[in-house]
Amino acid sequence: MVQSQGRALPTAGGPVAAPPFALPAVHFAAALFWLLVSAGLLVWLAPRLAMGRVFDPPVFALVHALMLGVVGSAIFGTLQQFVPGGLGVPLRSVRLGFASFALLQFGVTILVLGFLGWRGWAQGLGWLAILGAVGGVSRNVLRARRHSVNGKLVGLYITVAHSALGFGMIVAFARIGETLGWWQVDRMALVSAHALLGAVGFGLLSVIGVGSRMLPTFLMGPGDDTRWLHWQLGLTVLALLVYTAGAVLTAGWLMQSGAWLLMAAAVPTLMLPWRWFARRRRPLDGALWQVASSMLALAAATAVGLWLLLGDPYRFSRWAALLVALVAGCLAVLVVGVMAKILPHLSYINLARHMPGFAALGSPNALLRDDWQCISAVCLGAGWSLLVVALLAEHAAGARAAAALWALGTGLVVVNTARMYVVGRRPARIAPQGMVTN
């Protein structure tokens, strides 16, 4: 029985009850909180990254705050709104959605603190809580693959992405066991497999799958990309399986084969957003500029990955540049842009009756200041790109300055979002140019 108190959404198979606004809203709020935490950690740790110290415990804390706190919270919140509304498949339980959210936030907090203090027991406890959260979200959304009328490919992407996250967590437990002295494994190989399963397997596959429905809608362009999506999914899954098998078996040739397969998978991965933006029928606003910046970061990550394959794989400053381009530049900035499209509309639909400022605006598109969003897009885009350059050049001071610019962009995103609710709580009038005045 579906426990939902939201409005009914029209779908091809009939109306499906949407989850209450609070469910995606708390996920997005958590993502913004972890974005601020990650920005602070990035400014602190940028000089270490420039020196190639990617195995420092605080660096692990930064990566997991970004991947699980920012990207994980946003993806889980989006999925539990998108599956009923976009795929026409109701959630099993709203209560389970909130319980999964609580477990995720507890787990990420304990995990990040465990990395900062290098406490194996805290890392293990954090992963157990996150495992429970992933299980709860999976139960809520994974049946979309079987029951969706017109979104089976997207449902397959979601299923594979969650499976990659599960495999990544198994690899993480193996690494924690090595830290506690329970067994001996190749630490570097497992850490790299864990990172790829999380960033590419979970993060990238989730955003490509859901984005194949959302981004063409945002851009008002066609979304006939089934062939490219099949190639992208098949090559990426094969690459991750081969690379992970090589890491577990300590077989360098398998790991290198998997890495080259990832380079092959990058062709359809980059082709998909190029097609979406090239065929758009609307100009780009601030949020879509952020999405475009994230796609450029994906291209930069591919270039750095190719450089690592052709050059010295033990040049850890290049690994740091790869992580920054893929996680901070692509996934985190993409999350920011997509939230800027989703959150104002959900807020307006659910809160306009109770918040006079929202009702006076007349449109959800006026809730966020687009000029602030454009400035944040410039700061985020310049921040990640300059940081990648500084890391490749191993320039510590330049890396910190670039990280500070990226942090400025994140701060502006959070302030712009918070301002939306401040405006909504009091009566407003619309100036002739469409600006909100109070």
Side-chain angles (χ1 to χ4, degrees):
M1 180 176 179
V2 181
Q3 301 171 24
S4 177
Q5 299 173 352
R7 69 193 186 286
L9 295 174
T11 64
V16 171
F21 169 69
L23 183 57
V26 293
H27 282 84
F28 293 155
L32 291 173
F33 167 78
W34 286 112
L35 192 67
L36 288 177
V37 171
S38 301
L41 288 173
L42 185 61
V43 173
W44 172 38
L45 297 171
R48 296 195 197 191
L49 294 174
M51 292 184 283
R53 294 166 58 180
V54 294
F55 294 106
D56 281 10
V59 173
F60 290 162
L62 165 64
V63 173
H64 288 84
L66 276 168
M67 267 307 306
L68 294 172
V70 178
V71 180
S73 296
I75 286 177
F76 288 162
T78 300
L79 285 178
Q80 293 184 91
Q81 178 69 33
F82 173 77
V83 166
L87 301 184
V89 181
L91 301 181
R92 289 184 182 272
S93 168
V94 169
R95 201 170 293 166
L96 179 60
F98 282 111
S100 301
F101 167 78
L103 277 174
L104 177 66
Q105 301 312 313
F106 173 77
V108 175
T109 301
I110 295 297
L111 183 65
V112 168
L113 293 176
F115 281 129
L116 290 173
W118 201 239
R119 296 288 186 268
W121 65 267
Q123 296 170 41
L125 179 60
W127 279 118
L128 285 174
I130 294 167
L131 181 63
V134 172
V137 175
S138 298
R139 179 166 175 78
N140 254 347
V141 304
L142 289 193
R143 62 178 182 161
R145 178 188 171 190
R146 300 190 306 273
H147 297 290
S148 175
V149 175
N150 54 5
K152 292 189 181 298
L153 182 55
V154 179
L156 179 60
Y157 262 88
I158 295 170
T159 301
V160 172
H162 277 69
S163 300
L165 182 58
F167 278 114
M169 295 178 70
I170 292 172
V171 171
F173 279 119
R175 191 202 58 77
I176 292 171
E178 189 266 347
T179 301
L180 296 174
W182 294 346
W183 46 66
Q184 294 295 318
V185 295
D186 186 332
R187 183 185 183 197
M188 179 180 171
L190 285 185
V191 168
S192 63
H194 171 68
L196 287 176
L197 285 167
V200 177
F202 171 64
L204 192 58
L205 288 183
S206 293
V207 300
I208 290 291
V210 177
S212 68
R213 295 289 292 272
M214 282 190 174
L215 290 182
T217 301
F218 295 156
L219 295 164
M220 298 179 64
D224 51 338
D225 303 296
T226 302
R227 181 179 300 177
W228 286 102
L229 288 167
H230 278 295
W231 273 107
Q232 195 275 338
L233 182 61
L235 283 171
T236 303
V237 169
L238 179 61
L240 291 174
L241 287 174
V242 171
Y243 191 94
T244 304
V248 172
L249 299 173
T250 321
W253 67 272
L254 264 181
M255 294 178 67
Q256 192 169 40
S257 299
W260 280 110
L261 283 169
L262 271 178
M263 291 297 104
V267 175
T269 302
L270 292 170
M271 182 59 68
L272 283 163
W274 184 86
R275 285 167 60 86
W276 296 334
F277 277 89
R279 299 182 296 172
R280 73 183 189 275
R281 298 194 186 104
R282 60 164 295 174
L284 300 183
D285 56 20
L288 291 175
W289 275 116
Q290 288 168 336
V291 175
S293 170
S294 74
M295 296 299 102
L296 292 176
L298 181 59
T302 303
V304 175
L306 184 60
W307 193 6
L308 274 168
L309 268 176
L310 296 175
D312 182 4
Y314 294 95
R315 195 73 173 265
F316 293 129
S317 59
R318 294 178 188 172
W319 280 100
L322 175 60
L323 279 173
V324 165
L326 184 56
V327 180
C330 176
L331 295 176
V333 176
L334 180 61
V335 159
V336 167
V338 171
M339 281 199 303
K341 303 299 289 184
I342 296 175
L343 190 56
H345 284 76
L346 290 179
S347 300
Y348 186 87
I349 290 170
N350 289 275
L351 302 178
R353 290 173 296 175
H354 312 292
M355 301 180 78
F358 281 10
L361 290 173
S363 168
N365 295 322
L367 287 177
L368 292 177
R369 286 192 56 141
D370 193 57
D371 53 348
W372 290 13
Q373 205 71 20
C374 288
I375 295 171
S376 70
V378 171
C379 291
L380 289 168
W384 72 254
S385 55
L386 291 174
L387 182 53
V388 168
V389 172
L391 295 179
L392 293 175
E394 300 181 353
H395 194 289
R400 175 158 282 172
L405 185 59
W406 191 88
L408 177 63
T410 65
L412 191 55
V413 166
V414 174
V415 170
N416 200 13
T417 306
R419 172 191 169 277
M420 178 172 70
Y421 293 100
V422 172
V423 169
R425 289 185 179 278
R426 55 179 181 261
R429 64 182 179 84
I430 308 300
Q433 295 82 9
M435 295 294 294
V436 180
T437 60
N438 292 285

